[in-house]
Amino acid sequence: MNKTKLMFVLLASLFLGACSSDDDNNGGNGGNGGGATYTETEVSEAPVWQIDWTNNQERPNWSEPDGSLYENWTTLMVQIEETLQPYASEDDLLALFVNDELRGLASPAVIVDGEQSGNTQFLMKAWGNETGTEKVNVSLRYYNQKLKHIFTLSDDIVLNSDETTGIEEDFIPEFTLGSAKYPVVKTVGVESILTKVGITAGQTGLAGAFVDEECRGTATLSASGGTSLTIYGRSAGESITLKYYDAAKGVLYTIPNAVKLN
């Protein structure tokens, strides 16, 4: 029996394209038309910032596909990304869809001795009839029970044959880039934003993106510079406040209107 190779590595690389990487900040001086200001606050401890990934989606009623309807199948092993691992549980589900048709379904994998493998790996048999010439829409959908959140990564790709995915090397889709709660994603350079408002970045510290008091992204500054901060938005047009904690000085800088999501 020929196996259907689902080109997940290609798919994952295409998913990364959903995150635009730029340093546009809507004008000079950090993005409010040249009049951006910032505040400085002395703090005794480093802040603890974290994105709240909880959502309110119901558990999907996915069911195993009927293998007798398909000519081919392949094996897929998916590793959950580090950000979501603390929330993983044995009640999570992972599904594969092709053109909105369910082709594979898995719960967390069980290792040989019968123990759960940390609830972060999913071993799936994925079914198909594709010949390797047609382009189809492929989606990986991960339901996290603790977060009540369905994360979805999708793209149009060509399905080929005769390979497994995630067995010989880890396959770790970035499900956070397919969040139903935060569908708008943008990546910015932290140091460039600080420079525009006259702040010299230290070699240690933290950066956080906020809408009001809601954390939308965090990053640890790199000693070599070039720190990237991924910001998660609820809708286009949101105005982001950047907070930067300089660990050496014990100072928290707050820059309003630092980034506009688009």
Side-chain angles (χ1 to χ4, degrees):
M1 175 184 296
N2 290 329
K3 295 184 177 181
T4 301
K5 175 190 176 184
L6 305 177
M7 296 293 291
F8 294 111
V9 174
L10 171 61
L11 185 59
S13 67
L14 292 175
F15 292 150
L16 294 177
C19 182
S20 62
S21 179
D22 56 63
D23 297 324
D24 292 340
N25 296 299
N26 304 321
N29 273 343
N32 69 351
T37 59
Y38 60 86
T39 61
E40 298 181 36
T41 306
E42 292 186 1
V43 292
S44 58
E45 296 181 354
V48 178
W49 297 326
Q50 188 173 13
I51 298 176
D52 179 7
W53 292 106
T54 57
N55 208 351
N56 57 2
Q57 294 174 291
E58 295 183 359
R59 184 179 182 84
N61 59 349
W62 297 329
S63 58
E64 289 278 359
D66 182 356
S68 67
L69 302 177
Y70 304 97
E71 296 181 0
N72 310 314
W73 60 272
T74 188
T75 301
L76 170 67
M77 174 70 84
V78 174
Q79 173 72 51
I80 299 302
E81 66 184 291
E82 184 177 357
T83 299
L84 297 178
Q85 286 184 10
Y87 312 103
S89 74
E90 61 183 8
D91 296 318
D92 294 353
L93 294 173
L94 182 73
L96 171 73
F97 288 79
V98 176
N99 291 335
D100 285 328
E101 177 186 355
L102 184 61
R103 296 291 188 84
L105 182 64
S107 297
V110 178
I111 58 178
V112 176
D113 62 6
E115 296 180 0
Q116 291 290 334
S117 56
N119 299 321
T120 63
Q121 291 181 316
F122 290 78
L123 182 62
M124 176 191 298
K125 177 180 282 190
W127 301 91
N129 291 318
E130 283 68 35
T131 62
T133 58
E134 63 267 51
K135 181 174 287 188
V136 296
N137 181 264
V138 177
S139 294
L140 278 176
R141 304 179 190 179
Y142 169 53
Y143 174 70
N144 186 289
Q145 173 66 35
K146 290 182 178 179
L147 297 174
K148 298 188 182 303
H149 197 151
I150 301 172
F151 299 86
T152 301
L153 294 176
S154 302
D155 214 327
D156 296 329
I157 64 170
V158 174
L159 303 186
N160 293 321
S161 62
D162 295 330
E163 275 192 31
T164 61
T165 301
I167 302 300
E168 295 182 357
E169 59 183 23
D170 290 340
F171 174 54
I172 311 175
E174 293 189 75
F175 281 116
T176 51
L177 298 183
S179 165
K181 184 176 181 180
Y182 301 119
V184 180
V185 182
K186 183 172 184 174
T187 298
V188 298
V190 174
E191 287 85 355
S192 65
I193 296 176
L194 298 179
T195 298
K196 286 183 178 181
V197 296
I199 299 174
T200 301
Q203 293 189 342
T204 58
L206 302 172
F210 290 82
V211 174
D212 296 326
E213 296 302 316
E214 182 181 7
C215 181
R216 298 295 188 83
T218 65
T220 300
L221 261 69
S222 170
S224 59
T227 305
S228 294
L229 171 63
T230 300
I231 304 172
Y232 299 88
R234 292 181 182 268
S235 61
E238 286 186 306
S239 183
I240 302 298
T241 293
L242 180 73
K243 296 185 179 182
Y244 163 56
Y245 168 69
D246 188 321
K249 296 180 180 179
V251 173
L252 177 65
Y253 298 89
T254 300
I255 310 169
N257 304 316
V259 178
K260 181 77 72 174
L261 292 186
N262 50 38

